[in-house]
Amino acid sequence: MLHHVLTVEDAQGFRNFLLNNMTYSLGRSLENSIILRSNLVSRQHATLLAVASKKSSCFFRIIDGSAEGKRSTNGILINGKKRFSHILSHGDEILFSKDTKAVYQVISAITNIPKTNSSQNQISESSYPQFNNQSFDETKPFRFSPLQAIPEQDLSTHVHKTVNQFIASPELNPQPIIELNLVGKILYLNPAALSQFPNLEEMRINHPLLQELLVQLLPLVNPVRKFFMREVIINDKVFEEIIHFMTWNEIIRIHISDVTNQKQAEAIISYQIHHDALTGLPNRKYLHEHLVETIEKLEHKQQLFAVLFLDIDRFKLINDSLGHSIGDLLLKAVSDRLKNLLKQGDVMVRWGADEFAIVAKEINSTDAVVQIAEAMIQALTLPFNCDGHELHITTCIGASIYPSHSTEVEGLIRNADMAMYRAKAEGQNSFQFYVPNMQEQSFQRLSMENNLRRALENNELLTYYQPQIDLITGKIVGLEVLLRWKHVSLGSIPPSQFIPLAEETGLITAIGTWVLRQTCLQAIAWLNMGLPPIQIGVNLSIKQLQQKDFLSCLQQILEETNLDPHFLELEITEGIMMDNVEEKIVLLNEFRQMGIQLSIDDFGTGYSALSYLKNLPIDTLKIDRIFIEYIAHNAHDRAIVASIISLSHSLDLNVIAEGVETQEQVDVLRSLGCDQIQGYFFYKALPADEIETLLRAQGITRPNRIEPA
Ligand code: C2E
Ligand code: CA
Ligand code: CA
């Protein structure tokens, strides 16, 4: 039996949902079956649909927006990728907004949890509480949680049900109900309360269920806050108290439910979510939470701890040659050996396939960390016997130390990981500490920045042009300008490496202006050679759009070069919708009025809000390469592209598919009605003279010349 569990993490913390129904709606609105507590998510943000399958009992598909097809404002990211619709698999992470996410897990046999090993501190620390369902003594030691107010509009359906049941027939209600007045006198006990808590009548306000209740409650009540909740644990049983303060008669009514089983199920789910099934070790998620906690506790003490990352060399080889079952046995054996080396309080998690992370506490010097790492490497050099195979492995370990290498969870993990890679570079069975190389990096950046500055002056920048092909006529109908940097000694540097730097340093303004002027000059040069006019797209950085004088600069270039603006196209990414949208739309409209064409670049990688498109004065939409890559083999990507194309056409937009590399992709795109194609299948970006040859071969040359100004 498989259980599908969605763990939501939002402002309210973690919540687990066992997915038993066929559909779930998720969003901010209280009508949703799963409410996401964040103002950054849409009212109806996403929908989960169960899909029956032959192989497994069922699985879930998540779609962006409501079941009626209304998309959310900001979309959903699945494992970091924008998706409209996605079939969930175990471990998928769904991001609804920057403060709201969920993890989908498929868990087998909820009742069958691995037994915890009490000698292993890291496991017993996180193991789920054992509640005793049989014996119960209501007078035994107890503890309760702080009282939590529940705003009335947020009352969960279950609270509503509890309250309504009472109104219908308190006497028959199987849940205990107690009524108190403000001085703690019990006014009413229903039969369920009397039979389940016979000591209530005698112990009164001193009964564990009522102790401290008034003290907690009275400072909190006011005319709008009337519902509260707390948990009381008595003798390993957990009771949830829903407390209703009735203002009109000043009576406190308490509905009690035994939530022991539910708590136990939650604890089991939480255990599964935080542990790796193969080794029984905690997982990444656990490490993360554990480090947060550890750092919080240490904040004001001068105590060191280390994060070690251990990776088995060439584990993939073992897996591939001997099979996964042997690989699994080896991982278990490695984890067992390492566990034996842990000290009280240390924690080890399975970080990835063949990677383990260890938090070593209470260390007093870096030498101690070296010793731990060496002991681990040593222990793993002895051969392993896995199902008759004698296996010899080597490992590498990297470590970062709190607080010297970082005081933050992410930093400690990243630095230990980096150190591990440095160790790998050293060779088998090596260990490395993280070495702060910030200075080195910033030096590199500085020299790169200087290089880039000089590139403009030294004519090291070149414009290349990638043809765009019409899918019906097969002709080149447009070009995109792509910048190339040929550095004298460093060779060719790709735009992905220097454009971000240019943006950061502000150099993009000068570079962008240069590209625009160069493009216009080239267009005029081609026209003067008698070639047919062709539209040329220039990539614009958001930074250029923020440049105050960009418009006048553009006008000046067009005047200087005398290029008809109709042949110029500006490519903008969805990022412009991030802020000051109105201002940007005004600017785009001015480009439009000048006769310039506009396109949305890399569509699908950013905002991807199709609804936004109709507000933008654009002519063309360029579908990003990531959707084209698998279009021939992935029905899901094909469906996305089909809907982008049909929506674009309904908005009168021209559609270009980017990154087309195969005939199959061309065929699919043609069948979907895509207008144009750009990609290596036809041409890479080419220097101007090669474009000239292509254009000459293709076309009727135009006799008229336009003289440059
Ligand atoms: P982009 O605007 O998405 O440009 C398309 C990129 O995809 C180009 O990479 C192009 O060479 C590559 N490409 C085209 N067809 C294929 C294909 O079939 N397969 C694959 N794998 N790739 C293909 P490139 O030239 O490296 O440019 C990268 C990015 O740098 C551009 O992405 C653009 O964002 C930026 N960029 C390039 N030139 C400029 C410029 O003049 N100004 C600004 N602001 N950005 C530029
Ligand atoms: Ca582009
Ligand atoms: Ca693009």
Side-chain angles (χ1 to χ4, degrees):
M1 173 71 174
L2 293 177
H3 297 271
H4 304 258
V5 181
L6 192 75
T7 306
V8 172
E9 186 182 354
D10 58 15
Q12 211 176 58
F14 284 101
R15 297 188 304 290
N16 291 310
F17 296 91
L18 256 175
L19 305 176
N20 292 325
N21 297 340
M22 296 306 281
T23 61
Y24 288 86
S25 58
L26 295 93
R28 174 164 55 88
S29 149
L30 299 170
E31 279 108 67
N32 287 293
S33 31
I34 296 178
I35 301 169
L36 306 174
R37 306 273 174 203
S38 162
N39 289 333
L40 301 176
V41 304
S42 299
R43 294 185 62 75
Q44 290 186 311
H45 200 108
T47 308
L48 280 176
L49 299 173
V51 189
S53 88
K54 287 213 183 75
K55 269 194 262 143
S56 55
S57 54
C58 82
F59 50 84
F60 282 87
R61 174 188 284 281
I62 186 159
I63 49 180
D64 178 22
S66 68
E68 291 76 44
K70 187 174 181 296
R71 291 240 198 279
S72 70
T73 312
N74 292 334
I76 48 175
L77 292 182
I78 312 284
N79 302 326
K81 287 217 174 110
K82 191 92 184 182
R83 289 282 181 249
F84 297 127
S85 158
H86 173 85
I87 290 181
L88 290 170
S89 36
H90 177 74
D92 277 352
E93 190 179 276
I94 309 154
L95 199 74
F96 301 96
S97 68
K98 64 172 191 266
D99 60 358
T100 310
K101 67 177 177 194
V103 175
Y104 171 80
Q105 312 256 342
V106 184
I107 291 169
S108 62
I110 257 192
T111 45
N112 178 17
I113 330 124
K115 266 271 161 278
T116 57
N117 176 349
S118 55
S119 72
Q120 284 310 314
N121 185 58
Q122 81 273 7
I123 294 183
S124 54
E125 216 182 280
S126 63
S127 66
Y128 52 90
Q130 297 286 328
F131 300 120
N132 184 346
N133 284 337
Q134 266 76 51
S135 62
F136 172 64
D137 177 350
E138 59 189 294
T139 61
K140 274 277 169 67
F142 69 99
R143 58 202 154 93
F144 48 79
S145 69
L147 211 58
Q148 227 186 315
I150 321 174
E152 197 151 358
Q153 74 272 17
D154 280 11
L155 278 179
S156 69
T157 40
H158 120 246
V159 178
H160 265 303
K161 219 165 85 197
T162 315
V163 175
N164 289 341
Q165 260 175 3
F166 171 78
I167 296 164
S169 53
E171 299 292 310
L172 296 177
N173 196 319
Q175 284 187 351
I177 292 160
I178 308 169
E179 279 187 7
L180 288 182
N181 68 9
L182 284 182
V183 290
K185 182 171 178 331
I186 293 183
L187 305 176
Y188 172 76
L189 293 170
N190 77 342
L194 282 167
S195 73
Q196 285 179 43
F197 304 102
N199 287 335
L200 256 173
E201 277 192 296
E202 189 194 323
M203 293 174 77
R204 297 168 180 273
I205 200 75
N206 293 321
H207 190 277
L209 285 175
L210 301 179
Q211 264 194 37
E212 300 279 315
L213 185 69
L214 288 176
V215 181
Q216 285 189 322
L217 182 71
L218 294 179
L220 297 179
V221 290
N222 67 33
V224 281
R225 271 199 297 193
K226 290 179 287 197
F227 285 94
F228 302 86
M229 201 186 84
R230 75 168 187 176
E231 270 171 18
V232 183
I233 302 176
I234 312 173
N235 194 18
D236 288 344
K237 270 185 168 277
V238 189
F239 298 96
E240 184 181 81
E241 296 181 324
I242 303 282
I243 301 140
H244 183 187
F245 178 69
M246 294 176 284
T247 26
W248 46 280
N249 57 4
E250 299 200 318
I251 287 176
I252 299 157
R253 184 181 286 159
I254 305 148
H255 306 259
I256 293 153
S257 12
D258 180 348
V259 292
T260 313
N261 289 340
Q262 184 191 328
K263 285 281 150 188
Q264 191 159 16
E266 276 175 16
I268 293 167
I269 291 170
S270 159
Y271 179 89
Q272 306 247 14
I273 286 173
H274 289 92
H275 288 79
D276 165 49
L278 176 69
T279 57
L281 288 176
N283 59 15
R284 273 178 190 224
K285 193 169 180 57
Y286 179 84
L287 176 73
H288 213 276
E289 289 165 19
H290 178 77
L291 285 175
V292 170
E293 227 172 83
T294 308
I295 290 174
E296 257 170 28
K297 278 190 207 145
L298 282 188
E299 213 112 63
H300 303 293
K301 291 194 209 138
Q302 293 289 316
Q303 179 68 52
L304 309 179
F305 74 87
V307 178
L308 293 91
F309 262 56
L310 181 149
D311 184 282
I312 305 175
D313 298 326
R314 298 194 315 266
F315 174 74
K316 196 173 165 335
L317 203 70
I318 296 170
N319 232 2
D320 290 348
S321 53
L322 300 175
H324 286 258
S325 53
I326 301 290
D328 284 356
L329 285 177
L330 177 65
L331 287 171
K332 266 179 79 68
V334 166
S335 120
D336 287 343
R337 253 185 226 178
L338 291 173
K339 272 185 207 167
N340 285 328
L341 299 174
L342 298 180
K343 290 198 307 282
Q344 181 76 20
D346 290 356
V347 165
M348 175 162 90
V349 310
R350 180 156 177 218
W351 178 258
D354 59 342
E355 278 181 286
F356 297 88
I358 296 108
V359 183
K361 304 222 187 91
E362 314 238 330
I363 50 169
N364 35 33
S365 67
T366 51
D367 279 352
V369 184
V370 179
Q371 278 166 19
I372 296 171
E374 278 175 355
M376 288 183 166
I377 291 175
Q378 200 55 43
L380 299 178
T381 54
L382 301 173
F384 289 88
N385 188 320
C386 298
D387 206 17
H389 298 270
E390 193 181 281
L391 302 176
H392 295 261
I393 59 164
T394 58
T395 47
C396 283
I397 300 181
S400 63
I401 292 183
Y402 172 94
S404 49
H405 295 159
S406 179
T407 52
E408 276 160 18
V409 174
E410 298 299 343
L412 286 166
I413 292 178
R414 193 179 50 239
N415 293 345
D417 192 41
M418 263 204 286
M420 200 265 296
Y421 278 102
R422 273 170 46 91
K424 285 234 160 209
E426 292 279 296
Q428 299 168 351
N429 285 340
S430 27
F431 166 73
Q432 284 283 327
F433 273 118
Y434 167 70
V435 181
N437 63 347
M438 291 299 291
Q439 280 167 329
E440 201 182 307
Q441 275 175 8
S442 59
F443 175 74
Q444 266 181 6
R445 215 190 91 122
L446 196 69
S447 79
M448 185 80 158
E449 193 181 325
N450 283 332
N451 270 320
L452 191 53
R453 247 177 246 288
R454 232 171 285 144
L456 261 175
E457 296 159 20
N458 294 355
N459 294 327
E460 289 171 4
L461 295 181
L462 297 169
T463 47
Y464 271 43
Y465 303 84
Q466 187 176 32
Q468 295 162 339
I469 312 298
D470 185 293
L471 259 179
I472 294 173
T473 63
K475 290 204 162 185
I476 300 175
V477 287
L479 300 169
E480 175 178 1
V481 187
L482 292 163
L483 197 51
R484 296 290 175 261
W485 179 7
K486 300 254 155 80
H487 188 278
V488 256
S489 51
L490 297 174
S492 173
I493 302 170
S496 54
Q497 275 183 25
F498 66 86
I499 296 281
L501 180 71
E503 289 184 329
E504 254 176 69
T505 54
L507 272 173
I508 194 72
T509 320
I511 293 177
T513 309
W514 179 83
V515 173
L516 269 170
R517 180 173 287 113
Q518 187 61 25
T519 304
C520 294
L521 287 172
Q522 185 62 63
I524 288 291
W526 280 328
L527 285 172
N528 287 343
M529 288 174 192
L531 295 173
I534 190 154
Q535 186 172 303
I536 310 184
V538 176
N539 288 291
L540 273 201
S541 152
I542 312 263
K543 287 269 152 53
Q544 286 174 273
L545 285 175
Q546 288 161 354
Q547 189 187 329
K548 284 215 175 53
D549 60 347
F550 182 73
L551 187 67
S552 61
C553 179
L554 182 64
Q555 280 163 334
Q556 196 192 334
I557 292 173
L558 285 168
E559 266 167 42
E560 263 174 42
T561 56
N562 206 10
L563 180 76
D564 178 348
H566 289 97
F567 299 135
L568 183 65
E569 179 178 47
L570 298 178
E571 295 194 1
I572 312 150
T573 60
E574 298 166 87
I576 55 153
M577 296 173 209
M578 297 282 272
D579 55 16
N580 291 337
V581 187
E582 274 79 37
E583 221 172 86
K584 301 273 172 44
I585 293 180
V586 171
L587 188 61
L588 297 189
N589 274 318
E590 296 202 54
F591 298 155
R592 252 287 190 76
Q593 271 156 24
M594 289 163 67
I596 295 173
Q597 303 275 307
L598 295 174
S599 63
I600 286 286
D601 198 8
D602 304 341
F603 186 80
T605 57
Y607 248 47
S608 313
L610 287 157
S611 55
Y612 250 105
L613 290 179
K614 58 175 179 295
N615 303 324
L616 293 177
I618 51 169
D619 309 276
T620 300
L621 182 143
K622 303 185 73 176
I623 306 178
D624 191 78
R625 192 157 65 88
I626 58 161
F627 293 110
I628 308 301
E629 203 172 347
Y630 301 110
I631 194 170
H633 304 287
N634 183 324
H636 174 241
D637 284 1
R638 195 156 55 234
I640 291 176
V641 172
S643 61
I644 297 178
I645 292 175
S646 72
L647 190 113
S648 304
H649 285 167
S650 73
L651 294 172
D652 253 350
L653 298 176
N654 180 42
V655 183
I656 302 186
E658 294 189 297
V660 178
E661 296 182 351
T662 66
Q663 178 71 55
E664 276 176 310
Q665 292 169 338
V666 175
D667 295 341
V668 172
L669 287 162
R670 184 178 286 124
S671 74
L672 297 179
C674 183
D675 304 298
Q676 288 163 31
I677 272 182
Q678 185 181 340
Y680 296 168
F681 180 70
F682 291 109
Y683 304 101
K684 292 198 167 185
L686 301 168
D689 55 343
E690 290 185 38
I691 294 290
E692 182 195 329
T693 316
L694 282 177
L695 291 180
R696 212 178 279 290
Q698 157 168 302
I700 347 95
T701 48
R702 251 175 36 133
N704 54 325
R705 294 169 65 94
I706 301 171
E707 296 302 328

